[in-house]
Amino acid sequence: MSDQQPPPRWGPPHGVPPVAPHGVYEPPRAREVTASYRRWTVVLTWAAVVVAALMAFALVMSIVFLVWADQDTRNAAYGYLALVLWVGIAAAAPVLIAAVVTARDMRRRVREWSRAGNTPF
């Protein structure tokens, strides 16, 4: 057996909510919004816009390809290309939803931080 004692624990044990010095519960404070966080908010917002624009373009082109495939039997490959575009749209839909939801939450946090009187960096 070792004679060493375990190091003392700093702070409350896990699972115990933080308590103010006067004994009243205080919710944890949000971290500050840095310039990097603001930059990534803009990048993610524009990424969602670009993905949405590409999906809209793919939808329009798939309809155009279907019209071309329907006009002549020699252009039947355009119908398969339309199907490939639909698979791409279906694969990009969860990515678009994730980007939009995350960008919305990040923009809300930046707006609340600015509204609270904090100055941007």
Side-chain angles (χ1 to χ4, degrees), residues 24-114:
V24 179
Y25 171 75
E26 286 184 1
R29 294 183 178 202
R31 293 186 339 207
E32 64 185 53
V33 175
T34 62
S36 175
Y37 189 86
R38 290 176 185 272
R39 192 174 319 117
W40 278 108
T41 301
V42 172
V43 167
L44 192 59
T45 301
W46 278 105
V49 169
V50 168
V51 169
L54 287 175
M55 287 176 62
F57 179 74
L59 180 65
V60 169
M61 285 308 298
S62 69
I63 293 171
V64 169
F65 288 153
L66 285 177
V67 169
W68 287 351
D70 195 41
Q71 286 177 350
D72 191 6
T73 56
R74 290 175 291 181
N75 295 333
Y78 287 121
Y80 291 108
L81 188 55
L83 288 174
V84 169
L85 287 176
W86 290 345
V87 168
I89 290 170
V95 173
L96 179 63
I97 291 170
V100 167
V101 168
T102 306
R104 180 197 63 194
D105 293 344
M106 290 175 75
R107 290 177 68 87
R108 180 181 301 144
R109 182 170 172 221
V110 168
R111 194 175 333 133
E112 288 174 358
W113 182 262
S114 298

